[in-house]
Amino acid sequence: MRVPRLVGLMAMDARRTAEATGLFLNAPDRPDFHRTVVEYVVRQYPQPNAEVPRDSVIYVWFDFGEGEGGGGVREPRIPRPPTGGLQRELDEPGDPYVSVSSA
């Protein structure tokens, strides 16, 4: 039997999908997995479409592990990246003659 795609499903939907296909779920990062309802699966093993015997255990995670993604660094980054797009050249400070485009 093939493993269904569980990533992106809420916990209750992932359990229902696994049960419907004759598989069991285990969540190593949630000891209270049986009470987890609205958290989303972010990773699974084995991968979707892998061939496994009936009654196999599929592992799912609800949090990204160290260095696997998630929110990233929330501190300001210096220097800030350029905003992109074209920017006009600024006049020299104190220049009495401002740039005027000819019309």
Side-chain angles (χ1 to χ4, degrees):
M1 99 176 347
R2 292 191 180 272
V3 175
R5 179 176 177 79
L6 303 173
V7 173
L9 296 179
M10 286 192 296
M12 62 184 195
D13 294 331
R15 277 194 298 270
R16 203 173 292 142
T17 301
E19 288 172 7
T21 56
L23 300 171
F24 296 101
L25 287 187
N26 185 355
D29 63 342
R30 291 289 185 276
D32 59 343
F33 175 60
H34 62 282
R35 293 187 310 201
T36 305
V37 177
V38 294
E39 293 188 52
Y40 289 90
V41 175
V42 297
R43 187 171 48 140
Q44 78 179 67
Y45 181 81
Q47 297 297 319
N49 296 320
E51 288 287 334
V52 295
R54 186 170 183 78
D55 298 330
S56 293
V57 176
I58 307 301
Y59 294 92
V60 294
W61 288 266
F62 296 95
D63 287 327
F64 288 106
E66 188 69 31
E68 289 184 338
V73 177
R74 289 177 171 72
E75 298 173 358
R77 296 176 62 166
I78 306 296
R80 293 196 179 271
T83 56
L86 297 175
Q87 297 179 353
R88 72 176 180 90
E89 185 176 336
L90 300 176
D91 296 327
E92 289 291 324
D95 188 356
Y97 304 104
V98 293
S99 300
V100 178
S101 62
S102 57

